[in-house]
Amino acid sequence: LAKMSGGGSTLLGYIGIDTIIEQMRKKTMKAGFDFNIMVVGNSGLGKSTLVNTLFKSQVSRRSAGWARDEKIPKTIEIKAVSHVLEEGGVKMKLTVVDTPGFGDQINNDNCWEPISKYINEQYEKFLKEEVNITRKKRIPDTRVHCCIYFITPTGHSLRSLDIEFMKRLSHSVNIIPVIAKSDTMTIEERLEFKQRVRKELEMGGIEVYPQKEFDEDMEDKSDNDKIREAMPFAVVGSDKEYQVNGKRVLGRKTAWGIVEVENPNHCEFAQLRDFLIRSHLQDLKEVTHNIHYETYRAKRLNENGGLHPITCNDTQESNL
Amino acid sequence: RDVCTLFHCLQHRKQRSSVRLDDNLLTHGTLQKNLEGYVGFANLPNQVYRKSVKRGFEFTLMVVGESGLGKSTLINSLFLTDLYSPEYPGPSHRIKKTVQVEQSKVLVKEGGVQLLLTIVDTPGFGDAVDNSNCWQPVIDYIDSKFEDYLNAESRVNRRLMPDSRVQCCLYFIAPSGHGLKPLDIEFMKRLHEKVNIIPLIAKADTMTPEECQQFKKQIMKEIQEHKIKIYEFPETDDEEEMKMIRRIKDRLPLAVVGSNTIIEVNGKRVRGRQYPWGVAEVENGEHCDFTILRNMLIRTHMQDLKDVTNNVHYENYRSRKLAAVTYNGVDNNKNKGQLTKSPLAQMEEERRDHVSKMRKMEQEMEQVFEMKVKEKLQKLRDSEVELQRRHEQMKKNLEAQHRELEERRRQHEEEKGGWEAQQRILEQQKLDASRTLEKNKKKKIF
């Protein structure tokens, strides 16, 4: 029995329900949040530098104790490094997952498998926690929210490895392709390259983030269309500062000028950062949780006759 | 606003220097980092808020208490709406023999924020002569909402998960002035682990401040004696907030007065109850605790009430339910516990449901289609008959015209014949006349 009545602030006064936003804000700030970002691409494309530049901190594995001239590993490794960053009262536990060795071998067949396995393992961990009888208050979230794929700036087109990887993983994780080291191309070359890449992605049926099918309403669609038009972002990363016109900027100094990282006329780093962090951070997490994770969960529930809730006693054994 | 706080923070950060470096920073090392420059993830709460505002908020509130304690009036006062009005009289105006559980929904909009409020009322509670087990329908209702949520959570397809769990229960204590009634104690003991209970003293304007104070103390004592766990306000680090929370705690249970009639007092328009000896103002902190209740319920702790329901009460229900199934191995659940089926069977069932729904829709559509076809056929047949009729009509007309024409022609022929005959006669006469003339002429000549 339910009746709907068209109430509202018909009588005098202010109820105060818009303060619910404040309450949510306090809750988010107190709890802090997790964000997991994965970087994939050949060695030497500037992945670690870019991540450091994005978060304005030394957060990648390079800075966590490894030498810069480390040898290329023989097989792909997955290395995750976490840092807690704080800004404006908001705490973020940022985990950067690096994949050294990707695409560096002579035979790169199946080099996406370890990555796919890692992503699924994180979903599995979360699923196990969720299905538990006594659940933790806040399930630790190690699922990869965003995978930045670095495209080599050949100026020609995507390589078969790029297409293979993105085809296989775009259905289990949010992929954001970027053109690395874009200061090797002129603006015209860059535009052409981008167009070609977009066309190839379309032809291959690869849906990168933000996926068209998940636009919630017209506002979202128009915002996201603008972003889709500009992708893949051509970026340049740097952790060195130089003086330009009296300001200190991050950049790369060449004989013919200084490439300013945050200058929108030089490269699209600022756009990438705004898109990734300032406007779509929450959405990346939600798409991962509501769509990719649910897809994984549905698949899991269909195999082997299903999942049984487990007690906290036997978390070690798997009865899945 | 963000830019200001950001700037402030940056200033603050520059002065602090708290970078601790751990030595063993292998995989999964965590350390607090200082930021040289603004990244922008402090914007995250805004992103979360924007999405929530778009989707709107929901809140389910339950009110329990005997009839005539002013529950409906209080709800109307809290949300400045006429949820119960002369058109939709509240449950208290209807006589109930057994305890019912009814829900009404109200959409409240303010400042761009939408709140879908569900009020669950329990008319008939405590009104009968024998009130044993009058809490059972309430418990059943709360459990059924938990069960619905648990089932939705366990489904394979979880796209839509509506949340109708009861997030707060306002329990109205009659202002007897003595203490809790046995019914009050029983109810609260049975429900304190299922829902956030906030006890209220109803119709507080029947007591003087001293009586009220005394009554409150007595109630709190009894609540502690019986180990009833009413809703606890969460601890915070903020000094201001802690002060406010302590103030609220001191005044529990909140003594409320509800009213939506506006009265003029000293030139101000206030909501209140007019007595010959004065006006009891609803929003006056010295008259009653209505403002405290409203601020706490809506402006500061709504989110926390939802969180406690989700993290504590619901999880309790869930663990108990799942443990019962696992340990006993036998299906302990009286209803069709979907958890005991294997997810594969569950998906089959979901699929079957979906298929049968589709089939029903198909059937309905076919029926409608057939009906339409029949109608059209009938229409066509009718128009065919009509056409036929007209055709006959026209044929008849044509024949009639034919006959008429024939008739006329015959007449004409007759006439012609007659005329011709006449002509012949005339001719003959003429001939005769001329012959006679000839004859006469001949005779004359001779």
Side-chain angles (χ1 to χ4, degrees):
Chain A
L1 282 176
K3 17 186 240 283
M4 263 290 208
S5 81
S9 307
T10 48
L11 304 173
L12 52 81
Y14 162 69
I15 308 172
I17 57 175
D18 48 0
T19 56
I20 234 183
I21 301 150
E22 258 314 297
Q23 298 178 39
M24 282 195 77
R25 188 193 301 260
K26 279 206 194 115
K27 175 177 161 209
T28 322
M29 307 225 323
K30 203 162 88 146
F33 66 101
D34 298 332
F35 190 64
N36 308 320
I37 189 171
M38 176 184 263
V39 285
V40 183
N42 291 39
S43 304
L45 280 182
K47 304 191 290 289
S48 313
T49 315
L50 185 75
V51 174
N52 286 353
T53 320
L54 267 175
F55 293 99
K56 296 233 168 88
S57 301
Q58 305 294 312
V59 287
S60 68
R61 70 182 167 97
R62 288 234 180 256
S63 27
W66 281 269
R68 210 159 238 279
D69 43 19
E70 188 184 298
K71 292 214 193 76
I72 292 177
K74 286 285 151 97
T75 55
I76 300 158
E77 301 172 350
I78 312 268
K79 291 206 168 107
V81 182
S82 302
H83 299 275
V84 174
L85 306 175
E86 190 175 334
E87 183 181 80
V90 178
K91 281 206 200 91
M92 168 167 82
K93 174 155 176 263
L94 174 73
T95 305
V96 180
V97 183
D98 208 335
T99 54
F102 178 84
D104 289 333
Q105 316 306 324
I106 296 175
N107 179 1
N108 285 312
D109 231 350
N110 297 326
C111 67
W112 48 80
E113 270 180 18
I115 297 176
S116 193
K117 192 161 99 117
Y118 177 83
I119 291 175
N120 287 341
E121 270 170 13
Q122 308 316 305
Y123 288 147
E124 184 69 29
K125 246 197 253 173
F126 196 87
L127 183 61
K128 271 213 185 99
E129 277 297 329
E130 213 187 26
V131 164
N132 228 333
I133 289 187
T134 30
R135 304 201 279 210
K136 299 207 183 90
K137 187 161 170 185
R138 241 189 98 209
I139 302 179
D141 191 357
T142 53
R143 300 171 294 186
V144 178
H145 299 128
C146 159
C147 173
I148 303 190
Y149 187 77
F150 286 70
I151 300 173
T152 323
T154 58
H156 292 285
S157 58
L158 288 174
R159 297 174 306 151
S160 4
L161 177 58
D162 299 337
I163 298 180
E164 275 306 308
F165 178 87
M166 287 197 270
K167 230 194 234 176
R168 283 161 196 280
L169 266 87
S170 59
H171 294 290
S172 53
V173 73
N174 295 322
I175 296 192
I176 298 182
V178 295
I179 301 175
K181 294 198 165 172
S182 65
D183 51 339
T184 53
M185 296 189 285
T186 65
I187 303 283
E188 295 81 24
E189 288 166 355
R190 190 206 294 174
L191 243 80
E192 273 180 36
F193 186 42
K194 278 216 268 190
Q195 271 176 358
R196 235 167 306 159
V197 168
R198 270 205 299 272
K199 207 179 325 161
E200 286 188 319
L201 288 176
E202 209 182 299
M203 286 204 307
I206 301 173
E207 277 260 23
V208 298
Y209 180 85
Q211 297 94 335
K212 283 209 186 93
E213 40 180 344
F214 305 142
D215 286 337
E216 277 181 24
D217 54 29
M218 287 313 293
E219 199 188 320
D220 270 354
K221 186 161 138 58
S222 78
D223 287 341
N224 289 346
D225 274 343
K226 280 198 213 113
I227 292 173
R228 284 188 278 258
E229 279 298 304
M231 278 175 86
F233 293 114
V235 294
V236 174
S238 169
D239 46 13
K240 297 205 170 63
E241 283 188 346
Y242 296 97
Q243 194 92 349
V244 172
N245 295 341
K247 277 200 305 171
R248 291 199 59 78
V249 292
L250 288 168
R252 289 172 57 73
K253 188 156 185 204
T254 63
W256 46 94
I258 297 182
V259 185
E260 295 166 48
V261 166
E262 280 173 307
N263 186 336
N265 294 329
H266 290 198
C267 76
E268 294 172 334
F269 170 81
Q271 257 186 298
L272 173 70
R273 181 202 48 209
D274 288 345
F275 160 61
L276 188 61
I277 301 176
R278 294 185 193 172
S279 59
H280 283 72
L281 196 59
Q282 180 63 17
D283 191 56
L284 279 162
K285 290 175 64 155
E286 285 193 4
V287 171
T288 308
H289 179 65
N290 294 337
I291 296 169
H292 297 304
Y293 171 67
E294 287 296 316
T295 313
Y296 177 81
R297 177 177 174 274
K299 209 166 32 132
R300 263 321 249 111
L301 291 187
N302 274 336
E303 300 167 0
N304 310 329
L307 222 52
H308 298 288
I310 49 184
T311 64
C312 49
N313 297 333
D314 48 21
T315 38
Q316 295 310 321
E317 4 167 323
S318 161
N319 59 349
L320 300 168
Chain B
R1 206 200 318 163
D2 268 8
V3 179
C4 287
T5 45
L6 148 74
F7 187 71
H8 197 67
C9 282
L10 281 180
Q11 298 277 59
H12 213 52
R13 297 268 173 272
K14 285 211 180 100
Q15 284 151 18
R16 289 208 261 150
S17 56
S18 56
V19 179
R20 282 171 19 252
L21 275 164
D22 275 13
D23 277 330
N24 48 339
L25 268 188
L26 293 177
T27 46
H28 299 288
T30 312
L31 47 97
Q32 192 95 16
K33 268 303 186 187
N34 248 349
L35 289 181
E36 310 105 30
Y38 178 61
V39 175
F41 61 82
N43 200 25
L44 185 89
N46 284 344
Q47 296 178 30
V48 174
Y49 137 62
R50 261 185 68 215
K51 280 193 183 270
S52 308
V53 167
K54 257 206 251 183
R55 294 177 193 146
F57 299 94
E58 290 183 343
F59 192 68
T60 308
L61 179 67
M62 177 182 262
V63 283
V64 183
E66 296 167 12
S67 303
L69 282 182
K71 304 191 292 290
S72 319
T73 315
L74 188 73
I75 296 293
N76 283 355
S77 308
L78 271 174
F79 295 99
L80 291 182
T81 160
D82 33 15
L83 178 67
Y84 296 130
S85 61
E87 291 93 56
Y88 297 112
S92 52
H93 293 261
R94 299 176 247 125
I95 305 173
K96 289 277 186 275
K97 289 282 150 104
T98 56
V99 180
Q100 312 266 327
V101 179
E102 288 182 354
Q103 64 174 17
S104 335
K105 288 191 197 273
V106 155
L107 188 64
V108 186
K109 290 195 205 170
E110 191 176 63
V113 176
Q114 251 182 214
L115 176 69
L116 180 62
L117 187 65
T118 308
I119 308 282
V120 183
D121 212 327
T122 52
F125 180 85
D127 286 340
V129 174
D130 180 4
N131 286 313
S132 324
N133 295 326
C134 69
W135 46 80
Q136 198 58 41
V138 177
I139 294 182
D140 289 341
Y141 179 86
I142 294 177
D143 276 345
S144 83
K145 293 300 165 192
F146 280 155
E147 166 124 15
D148 286 344
Y149 193 79
L150 182 59
N151 284 342
E153 214 186 22
S154 316
R155 283 170 78 96
V156 177
N157 184 350
R158 306 200 292 194
R159 261 303 168 85
L160 291 151
M161 279 221 305
D163 189 358
S164 52
R165 300 173 291 183
V166 179
Q167 283 142 349
C168 176
C169 173
L170 297 177
Y171 187 75
F172 287 70
I173 301 170
S176 62
H178 294 283
L180 288 174
K181 295 211 281 271
L183 176 59
D184 300 335
I185 297 173
E186 257 322 294
F187 178 87
M188 287 201 272
K189 263 165 71 172
R190 282 167 193 279
L191 262 88
H192 64 166
E193 297 203 318
K194 289 190 181 286
V195 71
N196 296 319
I197 297 186
I198 298 181
L200 303 174
I201 299 177
K203 296 199 165 173
D205 53 342
T206 51
M207 295 186 287
T208 67
E210 297 81 24
E211 288 166 358
C212 197
Q213 232 3 61
Q214 194 64 22
F215 189 36
K216 285 185 184 182
K217 258 205 242 145
Q218 180 64 23
I219 293 178
M220 287 314 280
K221 195 165 83 128
E222 290 184 28
I223 284 181
Q224 270 164 15
E225 267 172 20
H226 293 272
K227 300 209 184 43
I228 295 173
K229 293 188 234 149
I230 57 176
Y231 173 67
E232 258 187 49
F233 299 85
E235 301 274 319
T236 59
D237 306 318
D238 198 313
E239 256 309 302
E240 276 292 319
E241 284 186 30
M242 276 317 288
K243 255 201 289 181
M244 180 188 71
I245 289 177
R246 248 172 265 136
R247 257 183 56 222
I248 299 179
K249 281 197 171 160
D250 285 339
R251 299 181 76 156
L252 283 178
L254 301 170
V256 292
V257 174
S259 167
N260 273 340
T261 3
I262 302 180
I263 303 171
E264 280 241 2
V265 174
N266 296 341
K268 267 205 311 169
R269 289 166 64 80
V270 292
R271 287 186 287 156
R273 293 174 56 74
Q274 176 101 53
Y275 292 108
W277 47 89
V279 174
E281 292 168 43
V282 165
E283 281 170 312
N284 186 332
E286 292 176 11
H287 292 197
C288 73
D289 300 325
F290 173 84
T291 322
I292 295 184
L293 172 68
R294 184 203 45 206
N295 290 350
M296 183 272 290
L297 187 61
I298 302 174
R299 298 186 194 173
T300 50
H301 287 82
M302 186 178 265
Q303 187 62 37
D304 188 64
L305 283 163
K306 289 165 80 161
D307 289 341
V308 173
T309 308
N310 186 45
N311 299 339
V312 178
H313 298 298
Y314 171 69
E315 290 295 319
N316 281 346
Y317 173 83
R318 185 177 170 276
S319 345
R320 253 180 284 133
K321 194 96 193 279
L322 295 184
V325 170
T326 321
Y327 283 129
N328 295 12
V330 164
D331 189 346
N332 270 336
N333 313 320
K334 301 198 183 98
N335 344 342
K336 48 168 180 117
Q338 280 174 299
L339 285 168
T340 56
K341 295 202 198 110
S342 84
L344 191 64
Q346 185 178 320
M347 204 163 151
E348 262 305 305
E349 190 175 310
E350 279 175 35
R351 207 192 340 207
R352 254 180 278 139
D353 278 340
H354 183 79
V355 166
S356 74
K357 219 193 286 181
M358 287 282 114
R359 217 176 291 148
K360 218 169 60 172
M361 267 175 78
E362 210 183 310
Q363 272 179 3
E364 275 173 29
M365 279 169 79
E366 271 188 40
Q367 273 181 9
V368 170
F369 181 72
E370 262 186 53
M371 205 171 64
K372 285 232 168 86
V373 167
K374 247 194 259 177
E375 265 181 43
K376 207 60 194 280
L377 272 175
Q378 187 64 24
K379 257 202 213 139
L380 283 171
R381 244 178 263 136
D382 282 344
S383 69
E384 209 186 309
V385 164
E386 175 75 22
L387 235 73
Q388 190 78 1
R389 195 178 58 81
R390 265 203 244 149
H391 180 76
E392 293 287 306
Q393 186 82 1
M394 280 172 84
K395 229 169 63 181
K396 272 203 208 117
N397 279 357
L398 206 66
E399 276 176 16
Q401 277 187 5
H402 241 311
R403 276 197 298 268
E404 210 184 299
L405 224 61
E406 276 299 318
E407 183 71 31
R408 281 229 209 119
R409 207 195 15 199
R410 204 174 40 79
Q411 269 183 5
H412 175 81
E413 292 289 315
E414 255 184 49
E415 266 185 46
K416 197 162 112 184
W419 187 79
E420 275 180 6
Q422 253 188 5
Q423 285 301 99
R424 274 200 297 273
I425 294 178
L426 270 168
E427 279 289 331
Q428 194 65 30
Q429 279 186 347
K430 229 179 148 179
L431 211 64
D432 282 347
S434 76
R435 262 200 225 123
T436 347
L437 211 61
E438 282 274 332
K439 243 199 252 171
N440 288 353
K441 245 189 190 168
K442 269 190 191 153
K443 268 190 194 157
K444 262 191 186 146
I445 296 170
F446 294 138

